[in-house]
Amino acid sequence: MKPPNHPKQPGRSRGRARGLAGGLAAALAAVTAAAVGLAMPAQAASTLKASAEARGRYFGTALTRGDLGNGTLTNLAAAEFDMVTPGNEMKWDATEPSRGSFNFGSGDQIVSFAQSHGMRVRGHTLVWHAQLPAWVTGVQLNQIQSVMENHITTEATHYKGKVYSWDVVNEPYNEDGTLRQDVFYKAMGANYIANALRAAHAADPNAKLYINDYNIEGINAKSNALYSLAQSLLSQGVPLHGIGLESHFVVGQVPSSLQANMQRFADLGLDVAVTEIDDRIPMPADSSELQQQGADYGKVVNACLAVSRCVGVSQWGVDDGHSWIPGTFPGYGAAMMWDSGYKPKPAYTAALNALNSGTSSPSASSSPSSSPSASPSRSPIGGACSATIKTVNSWGGGFQSEVTVQAGSAPVNGWTVKWTWPGGQTISSLWNGTQSVSGSSVTVRNASYNGSLAAGASATFGFTANGSAATPALTCASP
Ligand code: XIL
């Protein structure tokens, strides 16, 4: 009998540039392909990060402060990954070990390692029932909200501008889809999640804010509950931007509904990310298990590439010698893409091959600057708002687009985007906005929850349409 897919309580103990002509030709091909909405094969690359970037994704790893002293490990991490999640250093027990007394030293070391190697940072994590210092659970319940908001505000302000995203709330669910009865729930009920997201957004308006959990990779009671919560938070205008699928898998057990599950969250207008993948094997691992592990990693990468809003994949560590798995799941190990001698395993080859082969839909949002997608059409800048349209997917007879509406130098309270279809296109489904259509003219107004934008802030809406992909000129006005 395999143990459950996660411990109840994690144990604490333990190329240079191409020639100009070639580059131009490739750029032109990319622009043409994006303009007509074709999925593009990526150029083969020899590292996870280069290959992921060519797909508009990132590939990340978790690093601890202890890892930073290991030259072999950090060289490998810097060569292969472009995103870092601190393994423990931004958790509550590390950052506010006693009430009101903050310590960001270890987290800062991870951030400066990332910055000096051109890597971005996923902040992890602001509110979690585990690795929570005992003093928090000793606080009177009527003070918990202010303790929580003070923790979030102080930490997110400290890292403002330095993190790409925050796992604002970590692991809020029980396996049956009920919320854990932790101290935050006891004090505020389910509202603690909205309160936490709002506090994080106020402190760092540019960070992508996530709810992160495990055993939500497939469609099941737990992910269904999170899906309903996400819908409800978005409908109330709560700043939720992404869902983190931890992905602590057992070899051979990647759920078959992974891609469909990612897609349903993406269809709400959320980013999705694989945030902590590892794939553990009962020890000792034999070669067929290592091959199966490769198939598992390939399947996860392919699912992410197939979902335009899947922004990236992060492994929870680098090599088998430094993974948390053996200490937390006795009898299991070998869960990483490199073995304890830093030799790449079949999983590494499979992940890289998946990134390098086939086609994918360009990442629709939050992609690194090297994203190959776009050929966006932008409305004139300088008014109350501007709007940009891009094709994120297309197929015979239809396509999917995403429109980003951005407020100008002043806040807007409501927005209206208009365009005219050039070739008889018709919208089949539109989300995060309300449409009215007259012949070939389309008007989209904000939904009830995304009309108010601070100066420079943006909202997105999306749609699927019939006909050939087009990027018409847009106008944006407020309201
Ligand atoms: C783990 C760390 O890797 C361990 O060092 C620590 O003892 C326990 O936590 N889900 C999460 C991560 O969100 O923060 C956990 O990290 C692994 C499970």
Side-chain angles (χ1 to χ4, degrees):
M1 183 68 187
K2 307 266 185 194
N5 216 13
H6 194 281
K8 304 253 162 2
Q9 188 85 29
R12 187 68 187 97
S13 55
R14 333 242 232 145
R16 228 176 120 77
R18 294 173 292 236
L20 184 59
L24 270 179
L28 267 177
V31 166
T32 312
V36 296
L38 293 176
M40 289 183 301
Q43 271 199 314
S46 60
T47 61
L48 296 175
K49 69 175 180 185
S51 194
E53 284 167 14
R55 299 314 192 86
R57 271 49 172 206
Y58 61 79
F59 219 112
T61 183
L63 292 176
T64 62
R65 193 182 49 164
D67 292 335
L68 296 185
N70 179 329
T72 314
L73 189 155
T74 50
N75 284 342
L76 183 55
E80 291 286 344
F81 298 107
D82 55 6
M83 182 72 81
V84 176
T85 307
N88 289 309
E89 292 70 8
M90 293 188 186
K91 293 173 181 175
W92 198 315
D93 59 355
T95 54
E96 194 185 3
S98 59
R99 188 170 180 171
S101 154
F102 287 86
N103 180 356
F104 297 116
S106 299
D108 291 353
Q109 287 182 39
I110 306 280
V111 171
S112 54
F113 174 83
Q115 287 176 341
S116 63
H117 293 88
M119 305 158 100
R120 293 182 294 166
V121 175
R122 296 193 79 260
H124 176 82
T125 173
L126 295 169
V127 179
W128 188 23
H129 73 92
Q131 293 181 259
L132 187 64
W135 69 262
V136 179
T137 38
V139 165
Q140 281 182 14
L141 282 186
N142 64 7
Q143 293 178 31
I144 285 289
Q145 181 171 355
S146 81
V147 161
M148 180 188 83
E149 290 176 354
N150 182 53
H151 179 78
I152 293 171
T153 304
T154 308
E155 180 158 7
T157 301
H158 179 83
Y159 288 113
K160 182 179 177 181
K162 297 183 174 158
V163 298
Y164 155 76
S165 62
W166 269 113
D167 290 331
V168 176
V169 178
N170 203 36
E171 305 185 345
Y173 280 104
N174 296 308
E175 295 307 287
D176 65 359
T178 57
L179 285 167
R180 286 178 196 269
Q181 307 271 307
D182 62 15
V183 66
F184 307 107
Y185 184 89
K186 285 188 187 133
M188 289 166 268
N191 285 338
Y192 88 87
I193 295 176
N195 293 342
L197 288 161
R198 288 193 171 107
H201 187 61
D204 187 352
N206 292 319
K208 298 278 180 187
L209 304 184
Y210 278 68
I211 299 174
N212 188 53
D213 213 328
Y214 62 90
N215 288 351
I216 56 159
E217 295 77 21
I219 295 178
N220 57 34
K222 196 171 178 179
S223 65
N224 286 345
L226 175 57
Y227 182 78
S228 303
L229 175 72
Q231 277 181 313
S232 144
L233 291 171
L234 292 172
S235 74
Q236 297 164 65
V238 175
L240 172 68
H241 309 123
I243 300 295
L245 312 176
E246 289 187 13
S247 306
H248 296 290
F249 295 126
V250 176
V251 69
Q253 294 183 25
V254 175
S256 55
S257 54
L258 172 65
Q259 185 182 321
N261 189 44
M262 285 178 167
Q263 188 65 56
R264 69 172 171 162
F265 283 104
D267 288 344
L268 294 178
L270 292 169
D271 288 351
V272 294
V274 173
T275 52
E276 306 182 8
I277 190 172
D278 42 38
D279 195 30
R280 61 186 182 271
I281 299 177
M283 296 307 283
D286 66 28
S287 72
S288 73
E289 287 165 322
L290 292 171
Q291 292 301 327
Q292 178 62 48
Q293 183 179 61
D296 291 355
Y297 269 86
K299 185 170 169 179
V300 173
V301 168
N302 281 327
C304 183
L305 293 175
V307 175
S308 63
R309 293 200 72 130
C310 179
V311 293
V313 175
S314 298
Q315 178 176 261
W316 199 246
V318 176
D319 68 291
D320 287 338
H322 296 84
S323 156
W324 74 307
I325 290 293
T328 309
F329 301 91
Y332 282 78
M336 303 277 100
M337 289 183 281
W338 286 268
D339 70 16
S340 53
Y342 305 100
K343 255 186 62 193
K345 295 159 59 183
Y348 172 76
T349 313
L352 188 60
N353 284 346
L355 288 165
N356 276 333
S357 64
T359 56
S360 68
S361 47
S363 175
S365 83
S366 320
S367 50
S369 50
S370 56
S371 167
S373 67
S375 175
S377 160
R378 174 177 272 283
S379 60
I381 301 173
C385 55
S386 62
T388 316
I389 186 167
K390 66 180 176 181
T391 307
V392 295
N393 203 355
S394 73
W395 52 89
F399 62 100
Q400 182 180 336
S401 299
E402 184 177 277
V403 177
T404 301
V405 179
Q406 187 174 22
S409 51
V412 300
N413 195 6
W415 43 260
T416 306
V417 174
K418 295 188 182 189
W419 69 88
T420 304
W421 287 121
Q425 291 86 351
T426 52
I427 292 177
S428 44
S429 163
L430 183 136
W431 51 95
N432 294 339
T434 55
Q435 56 167 320
S436 56
V437 174
S438 164
S440 60
S441 303
V442 181
T443 302
V444 177
R445 294 199 166 78
N446 57 275
S448 59
Y449 50 86
N450 63 2
S452 298
L453 299 175
S458 57
T460 57
F461 67 86
F463 59 82
T464 49
N466 304 310
S468 44
T471 50
L474 308 181
T475 62
C476 187
S478 176

